[in-house]
mmCIF file of all heavy atoms in Angstrom:
data_model
loop_
_atom_site.group_PDB
_atom_site.id
_atom_site.type_symbol
_atom_site.label_atom_id
_atom_site.label_comp_id
_atom_site.label_asym_id
_atom_site.label_seq_id
_atom_site.Cartn_x
_atom_site.Cartn_y
_atom_site.Cartn_z
ATOM 1 N N ALA A 603 18.672 -18.858 -12.390
ATOM 2 C CA ALA A 603 18.211 -19.707 -13.481
ATOM 3 C C ALA A 603 18.719 -19.150 -14.847
ATOM 4 O O ALA A 603 19.157 -19.902 -15.733
ATOM 5 C CB ALA A 603 16.698 -19.780 -13.474
ATOM 6 N N GLU A 604 18.629 -17.784 -14.961
ATOM 7 C CA GLU A 604 19.204 -17.180 -16.222
ATOM 8 C C GLU A 604 20.686 -17.461 -16.354
ATOM 9 O O GLU A 604 21.176 -17.733 -17.451
ATOM 10 C CB GLU A 604 18.948 -15.696 -16.158
ATOM 11 C CG GLU A 604 17.487 -15.307 -16.310
ATOM 12 C CD GLU A 604 17.352 -13.772 -16.199
ATOM 13 O OE1 GLU A 604 18.299 -13.034 -16.290
ATOM 14 O OE2 GLU A 604 16.186 -13.367 -15.931
ATOM 15 N N ASN A 605 21.457 -17.323 -15.292
ATOM 16 C CA ASN A 605 22.873 -17.607 -15.356
ATOM 17 C C ASN A 605 23.180 -19.049 -15.713
ATOM 18 O O ASN A 605 24.132 -19.338 -16.449
ATOM 19 C CB ASN A 605 23.539 -17.250 -14.019
ATOM 20 C CG ASN A 605 23.529 -15.748 -13.736
ATOM 21 O OD1 ASN A 605 23.475 -14.927 -14.657
ATOM 22 N ND2 ASN A 605 23.654 -15.353 -12.512
ATOM 23 N N LEU A 606 22.426 -19.975 -15.128
ATOM 24 C CA LEU A 606 22.638 -21.409 -15.483
ATOM 25 C C LEU A 606 22.353 -21.654 -16.959
ATOM 26 O O LEU A 606 23.192 -22.382 -17.616
ATOM 27 C CB LEU A 606 21.689 -22.259 -14.578
ATOM 28 C CG LEU A 606 21.642 -23.770 -14.942
ATOM 29 C CD1 LEU A 606 23.026 -24.392 -14.779
ATOM 30 C CD2 LEU A 606 20.619 -24.458 -14.052
ATOM 31 N N GLU A 607 21.264 -21.132 -17.453
ATOM 32 C CA GLU A 607 20.967 -21.306 -18.877
ATOM 33 C C GLU A 607 21.977 -20.645 -19.771
ATOM 34 O O GLU A 607 22.428 -21.258 -20.767
ATOM 35 C CB GLU A 607 19.520 -20.747 -19.181
ATOM 36 C CG GLU A 607 19.104 -21.011 -20.594
ATOM 37 C CD GLU A 607 17.585 -20.836 -20.787
ATOM 38 O OE1 GLU A 607 16.839 -20.856 -19.797
ATOM 39 O OE2 GLU A 607 17.186 -20.746 -21.971
ATOM 40 N N GLY A 608 22.414 -19.413 -19.389
ATOM 41 C CA GLY A 608 23.397 -18.771 -20.250
ATOM 42 C C GLY A 608 24.751 -19.409 -20.208
ATOM 43 O O GLY A 608 25.476 -19.402 -21.214
ATOM 44 N N GLY A 609 25.139 -20.027 -19.096
ATOM 45 C CA GLY A 609 26.484 -20.583 -19.017
ATOM 46 C C GLY A 609 26.587 -22.026 -19.536
ATOM 47 O O GLY A 609 27.628 -22.532 -19.932
ATOM 48 N N SER A 610 25.381 -22.721 -19.544
ATOM 49 C CA SER A 610 25.399 -24.177 -19.864
ATOM 50 C C SER A 610 24.538 -24.571 -21.065
ATOM 51 O O SER A 610 24.675 -25.683 -21.619
ATOM 52 C CB SER A 610 24.945 -25.027 -18.691
ATOM 53 O OG SER A 610 23.633 -24.802 -18.335
ATOM 54 N N GLY A 611 23.594 -23.620 -21.418
ATOM 55 C CA GLY A 611 22.677 -23.974 -22.471
ATOM 56 C C GLY A 611 21.529 -24.869 -22.025
ATOM 57 O O GLY A 611 20.667 -25.259 -22.821
ATOM 58 N N VAL A 612 21.441 -25.192 -20.682
ATOM 59 C CA VAL A 612 20.353 -25.935 -20.171
ATOM 60 C C VAL A 612 19.144 -25.027 -19.951
ATOM 61 O O VAL A 612 19.236 -24.051 -19.241
ATOM 62 C CB VAL A 612 20.768 -26.586 -18.813
ATOM 63 C CG1 VAL A 612 19.615 -27.392 -18.186
ATOM 64 C CG2 VAL A 612 21.957 -27.551 -19.007
ATOM 65 N N ALA A 613 18.018 -25.369 -20.608
ATOM 66 C CA ALA A 613 16.844 -24.609 -20.355
ATOM 67 C C ALA A 613 16.409 -24.577 -18.884
ATOM 68 O O ALA A 613 16.209 -25.650 -18.346
ATOM 69 C CB ALA A 613 15.621 -25.167 -21.213
ATOM 70 N N SER A 614 16.331 -23.403 -18.290
ATOM 71 C CA SER A 614 16.249 -23.316 -16.829
ATOM 72 C C SER A 614 15.119 -22.471 -16.409
ATOM 73 O O SER A 614 14.661 -21.506 -17.149
ATOM 74 C CB SER A 614 17.528 -22.791 -16.249
ATOM 75 O OG SER A 614 18.592 -23.628 -16.640
ATOM 76 N N ARG A 615 14.592 -22.643 -15.173
ATOM 77 C CA ARG A 615 13.543 -21.813 -14.579
ATOM 78 C C ARG A 615 13.653 -21.965 -13.091
ATOM 79 O O ARG A 615 14.531 -22.666 -12.526
ATOM 80 C CB ARG A 615 12.115 -22.395 -15.037
ATOM 81 C CG ARG A 615 11.902 -23.795 -14.538
ATOM 82 C CD ARG A 615 10.665 -24.439 -15.213
ATOM 83 N NE ARG A 615 9.538 -23.597 -15.068
ATOM 84 C CZ ARG A 615 8.410 -23.842 -15.753
ATOM 85 N NH1 ARG A 615 8.348 -24.856 -16.529
ATOM 86 N NH2 ARG A 615 7.363 -23.022 -15.634
ATOM 87 N N THR A 616 12.813 -21.222 -12.382
ATOM 88 C CA THR A 616 12.859 -21.300 -10.921
ATOM 89 C C THR A 616 12.166 -22.515 -10.410
ATOM 90 O O THR A 616 11.240 -23.042 -11.082
ATOM 91 C CB THR A 616 12.217 -20.062 -10.255
ATOM 92 O OG1 THR A 616 10.827 -20.029 -10.608
ATOM 93 C CG2 THR A 616 12.862 -18.761 -10.742
ATOM 94 N N ILE A 617 12.545 -22.953 -9.254
ATOM 95 C CA ILE A 617 11.885 -24.154 -8.687
ATOM 96 C C ILE A 617 10.416 -23.832 -8.318
ATOM 97 O O ILE A 617 9.534 -24.675 -8.598
ATOM 98 C CB ILE A 617 12.631 -24.573 -7.358
ATOM 99 C CG1 ILE A 617 14.057 -24.904 -7.667
ATOM 100 C CG2 ILE A 617 11.899 -25.724 -6.636
ATOM 101 C CD1 ILE A 617 14.888 -25.216 -6.405
ATOM 102 N N ALA A 618 10.144 -22.625 -7.910
ATOM 103 C CA ALA A 618 8.779 -22.259 -7.559
ATOM 104 C C ALA A 618 7.897 -22.354 -8.784
ATOM 105 O O ALA A 618 6.715 -22.799 -8.702
ATOM 106 C CB ALA A 618 8.712 -20.840 -6.963
ATOM 107 N N SER A 619 8.314 -21.867 -9.975
ATOM 108 C CA SER A 619 7.493 -21.914 -11.160
ATOM 109 C C SER A 619 7.274 -23.399 -11.548
ATOM 110 O O SER A 619 6.122 -23.679 -12.024
ATOM 111 C CB SER A 619 8.162 -21.173 -12.274
ATOM 112 O OG SER A 619 9.366 -21.794 -12.717
ATOM 113 N N LEU A 620 8.247 -24.271 -11.491
ATOM 114 C CA LEU A 620 8.011 -25.648 -11.830
ATOM 115 C C LEU A 620 7.072 -26.367 -10.849
ATOM 116 O O LEU A 620 6.168 -27.112 -11.276
ATOM 117 C CB LEU A 620 9.372 -26.448 -11.861
ATOM 118 C CG LEU A 620 9.250 -27.854 -12.306
ATOM 119 C CD1 LEU A 620 8.685 -27.998 -13.717
ATOM 120 C CD2 LEU A 620 10.613 -28.569 -12.241
ATOM 121 N N GLU A 621 7.156 -26.042 -9.562
ATOM 122 C CA GLU A 621 6.303 -26.571 -8.554
ATOM 123 C C GLU A 621 4.835 -26.145 -8.854
ATOM 124 O O GLU A 621 3.879 -26.898 -8.662
ATOM 125 C CB GLU A 621 6.719 -26.225 -7.142
ATOM 126 C CG GLU A 621 7.912 -26.965 -6.674
ATOM 127 C CD GLU A 621 8.055 -26.850 -5.131
ATOM 128 O OE1 GLU A 621 8.568 -25.813 -4.684
ATOM 129 O OE2 GLU A 621 7.726 -27.838 -4.384
ATOM 130 N N HIS A 622 4.691 -24.924 -9.266
ATOM 131 C CA HIS A 622 3.410 -24.405 -9.625
ATOM 132 C C HIS A 622 2.774 -25.224 -10.818
ATOM 133 O O HIS A 622 1.601 -25.576 -10.751
ATOM 134 C CB HIS A 622 3.422 -22.934 -10.001
ATOM 135 C CG HIS A 622 2.132 -22.381 -10.480
ATOM 136 N ND1 HIS A 622 1.047 -22.154 -9.627
ATOM 137 C CD2 HIS A 622 1.720 -22.045 -11.742
ATOM 138 C CE1 HIS A 622 0.010 -21.698 -10.359
ATOM 139 N NE2 HIS A 622 0.357 -21.585 -11.626
ATOM 140 N N GLN A 623 3.614 -25.519 -11.764
ATOM 141 C CA GLN A 623 3.186 -26.347 -12.936
ATOM 142 C C GLN A 623 2.741 -27.721 -12.423
ATOM 143 O O GLN A 623 1.700 -28.241 -12.852
ATOM 144 C CB GLN A 623 4.264 -26.445 -13.977
ATOM 145 C CG GLN A 623 4.624 -25.125 -14.690
ATOM 146 C CD GLN A 623 3.402 -24.547 -15.472
ATOM 147 O OE1 GLN A 623 2.696 -25.264 -16.121
ATOM 148 N NE2 GLN A 623 3.201 -23.257 -15.269
ATOM 149 N N TRP A 624 3.551 -28.286 -11.523
ATOM 150 C CA TRP A 624 3.179 -29.608 -10.970
ATOM 151 C C TRP A 624 1.778 -29.536 -10.295
ATOM 152 O O TRP A 624 1.015 -30.521 -10.401
ATOM 153 C CB TRP A 624 4.237 -30.044 -9.982
ATOM 154 C CG TRP A 624 5.545 -30.387 -10.534
ATOM 155 C CD1 TRP A 624 5.828 -30.608 -11.936
ATOM 156 C CD2 TRP A 624 6.778 -30.609 -9.886
ATOM 157 N NE1 TRP A 624 7.150 -30.904 -12.109
ATOM 158 C CE2 TRP A 624 7.790 -30.925 -10.893
ATOM 159 C CE3 TRP A 624 7.184 -30.587 -8.574
ATOM 160 C CZ2 TRP A 624 9.127 -31.137 -10.526
ATOM 161 C CZ3 TRP A 624 8.526 -30.824 -8.248
ATOM 162 C CH2 TRP A 624 9.450 -31.103 -9.221
ATOM 163 N N SER A 625 1.561 -28.461 -9.546
ATOM 164 C CA SER A 625 0.277 -28.380 -8.842
ATOM 165 C C SER A 625 -0.905 -28.306 -9.859
ATOM 166 O O SER A 625 -2.013 -28.602 -9.432
ATOM 167 C CB SER A 625 0.302 -27.157 -7.918
ATOM 168 O OG SER A 625 0.193 -25.905 -8.727
ATOM 169 N N GLN A 626 -0.627 -27.866 -11.061
ATOM 170 C CA GLN A 626 -1.689 -27.849 -12.102
ATOM 171 C C GLN A 626 -1.715 -29.115 -12.937
ATOM 172 O O GLN A 626 -2.448 -29.154 -13.899
ATOM 173 C CB GLN A 626 -1.449 -26.619 -12.999
ATOM 174 C CG GLN A 626 -1.314 -25.315 -12.281
ATOM 175 C CD GLN A 626 -2.636 -24.966 -11.516
ATOM 176 O OE1 GLN A 626 -3.716 -25.011 -12.069
ATOM 177 N NE2 GLN A 626 -2.487 -24.556 -10.284
ATOM 178 N N GLY A 627 -0.849 -30.087 -12.560
ATOM 179 C CA GLY A 627 -0.799 -31.277 -13.314
ATOM 180 C C GLY A 627 -0.009 -31.184 -14.613
ATOM 181 O O GLY A 627 -0.197 -32.088 -15.505
ATOM 182 N N ARG A 628 0.819 -30.184 -14.750
ATOM 183 C CA ARG A 628 1.589 -29.990 -15.988
ATOM 184 C C ARG A 628 3.035 -30.129 -15.785
ATOM 185 O O ARG A 628 3.535 -30.029 -14.628
ATOM 186 C CB ARG A 628 1.287 -28.591 -16.529
ATOM 187 C CG ARG A 628 -0.158 -28.312 -16.888
ATOM 188 C CD ARG A 628 -0.294 -27.024 -17.708
ATOM 189 N NE ARG A 628 0.054 -25.848 -16.888
ATOM 190 C CZ ARG A 628 -0.914 -25.131 -16.270
ATOM 191 N NH1 ARG A 628 -2.201 -25.432 -16.381
ATOM 192 N NH2 ARG A 628 -0.612 -24.091 -15.509
ATOM 193 N N GLU A 629 3.812 -30.436 -16.814
ATOM 194 C CA GLU A 629 5.267 -30.586 -16.795
ATOM 195 C C GLU A 629 5.767 -31.568 -15.762
ATOM 196 O O GLU A 629 6.795 -31.276 -15.140
ATOM 197 C CB GLU A 629 5.905 -29.211 -16.671
ATOM 198 C CG GLU A 629 5.569 -28.280 -17.804
ATOM 199 C CD GLU A 629 6.416 -26.983 -17.740
ATOM 200 O OE1 GLU A 629 7.605 -27.064 -17.430
ATOM 201 O OE2 GLU A 629 5.957 -25.929 -18.135
ATOM 202 N N LEU A 630 5.024 -32.643 -15.621
ATOM 203 C CA LEU A 630 5.456 -33.597 -14.588
ATOM 204 C C LEU A 630 6.698 -34.377 -14.969
ATOM 205 O O LEU A 630 6.977 -34.482 -16.220
ATOM 206 C CB LEU A 630 4.267 -34.607 -14.359
ATOM 207 C CG LEU A 630 2.949 -34.012 -13.861
ATOM 208 C CD1 LEU A 630 1.901 -35.061 -13.778
ATOM 209 C CD2 LEU A 630 3.134 -33.291 -12.583
ATOM 210 N N LEU A 631 7.473 -34.881 -14.036
ATOM 211 C CA LEU A 631 8.680 -35.517 -14.307
ATOM 212 C C LEU A 631 8.478 -36.926 -14.829
ATOM 213 O O LEU A 631 7.396 -37.547 -14.537
ATOM 214 C CB LEU A 631 9.557 -35.594 -13.042
ATOM 215 C CG LEU A 631 10.033 -34.243 -12.452
ATOM 216 C CD1 LEU A 631 10.745 -34.518 -11.160
ATOM 217 C CD2 LEU A 631 10.895 -33.451 -13.420
ATOM 218 N N SER A 632 9.469 -37.483 -15.533
ATOM 219 C CA SER A 632 9.425 -38.847 -15.986
ATOM 220 C C SER A 632 10.828 -39.434 -15.841
ATOM 221 O O SER A 632 11.768 -38.735 -15.414
ATOM 222 C CB SER A 632 8.969 -38.926 -17.417
ATOM 223 O OG SER A 632 10.065 -38.464 -18.312
ATOM 224 N N ASP A 633 10.993 -40.724 -16.101
ATOM 225 C CA ASP A 633 12.301 -41.355 -15.935
ATOM 226 C C ASP A 633 13.286 -40.921 -17.057
ATOM 227 O O ASP A 633 14.464 -41.310 -17.031
ATOM 228 C CB ASP A 633 12.176 -42.864 -15.920
ATOM 229 C CG ASP A 633 11.484 -43.455 -17.151
ATOM 230 O OD1 ASP A 633 11.235 -42.618 -18.101
ATOM 231 O OD2 ASP A 633 11.293 -44.692 -17.208
ATOM 232 N N GLY A 634 12.799 -40.146 -17.992
ATOM 233 C CA GLY A 634 13.699 -39.585 -19.021
ATOM 234 C C GLY A 634 14.206 -38.188 -18.678
ATOM 235 O O GLY A 634 14.881 -37.572 -19.597
ATOM 236 N N ASP A 635 13.968 -37.726 -17.505
ATOM 237 C CA ASP A 635 14.356 -36.343 -17.136
ATOM 238 C C ASP A 635 15.634 -36.381 -16.355
ATOM 239 O O ASP A 635 15.867 -37.211 -15.473
ATOM 240 C CB ASP A 635 13.271 -35.680 -16.282
ATOM 241 C CG ASP A 635 12.117 -35.105 -17.180
ATOM 242 O OD1 ASP A 635 12.425 -34.569 -18.206
ATOM 243 O OD2 ASP A 635 10.972 -35.290 -16.739
ATOM 244 N N VAL A 636 16.516 -35.290 -16.608
ATOM 245 C CA VAL A 636 17.640 -35.016 -15.773
ATOM 246 C C VAL A 636 17.472 -33.633 -15.196
ATOM 247 O O VAL A 636 17.404 -32.662 -16.009
ATOM 248 C CB VAL A 636 18.993 -35.128 -16.497
ATOM 249 C CG1 VAL A 636 20.168 -34.641 -15.605
ATOM 250 C CG2 VAL A 636 19.215 -36.519 -17.015
ATOM 251 N N LEU A 637 17.291 -33.491 -13.935
ATOM 252 C CA LEU A 637 17.125 -32.182 -13.309
ATOM 253 C C LEU A 637 18.454 -31.674 -12.835
ATOM 254 O O LEU A 637 19.097 -32.285 -11.936
ATOM 255 C CB LEU A 637 16.184 -32.258 -12.079
ATOM 256 C CG LEU A 637 14.641 -32.331 -12.363
ATOM 257 C CD1 LEU A 637 13.931 -32.345 -11.006
ATOM 258 C CD2 LEU A 637 14.177 -31.157 -13.230
ATOM 259 N N VAL A 638 18.881 -30.510 -13.306
ATOM 260 C CA VAL A 638 20.168 -29.894 -12.928
ATOM 261 C C VAL A 638 19.775 -28.717 -11.970
ATOM 262 O O VAL A 638 19.139 -27.755 -12.434
ATOM 263 C CB VAL A 638 20.986 -29.389 -14.044
ATOM 264 C CG1 VAL A 638 22.252 -28.725 -13.532
ATOM 265 C CG2 VAL A 638 21.371 -30.561 -14.981
ATOM 266 N N ILE A 639 20.070 -28.809 -10.721
ATOM 267 C CA ILE A 639 19.740 -27.782 -9.725
ATOM 268 C C ILE A 639 20.942 -26.991 -9.354
ATOM 269 O O ILE A 639 21.863 -27.499 -8.680
ATOM 270 C CB ILE A 639 19.100 -28.378 -8.490
ATOM 271 C CG1 ILE A 639 17.911 -29.301 -8.890
ATOM 272 C CG2 ILE A 639 18.614 -27.306 -7.501
ATOM 273 C CD1 ILE A 639 17.202 -30.033 -7.711
ATOM 274 N N ASP A 640 20.996 -25.672 -9.768
ATOM 275 C CA ASP A 640 22.203 -24.890 -9.507
ATOM 276 C C ASP A 640 22.036 -24.101 -8.221
ATOM 277 O O ASP A 640 20.907 -23.870 -7.770
ATOM 278 C CB ASP A 640 22.392 -23.900 -10.698
ATOM 279 C CG ASP A 640 23.800 -23.338 -10.723
ATOM 280 O OD1 ASP A 640 24.686 -23.899 -10.066
ATOM 281 O OD2 ASP A 640 24.034 -22.284 -11.401
#
Side-chain angles (χ1 to χ4, degrees):
E604 290 176 16
N605 290 339
L606 173 60
E607 183 164 343
S610 67
V612 175
S614 304
R615 64 192 307 170
T616 64
I617 298 174
S619 68
L620 184 60
E621 285 195 283
H622 175 71
Q623 293 299 317
W624 291 346
S625 70
Q626 304 299 311
R628 298 191 292 263
E629 299 192 33
L630 300 177
L631 298 176
S632 73
D633 58 4
D635 281 318
V636 175
L637 282 183
V638 177
I639 305 178
D640 198 17

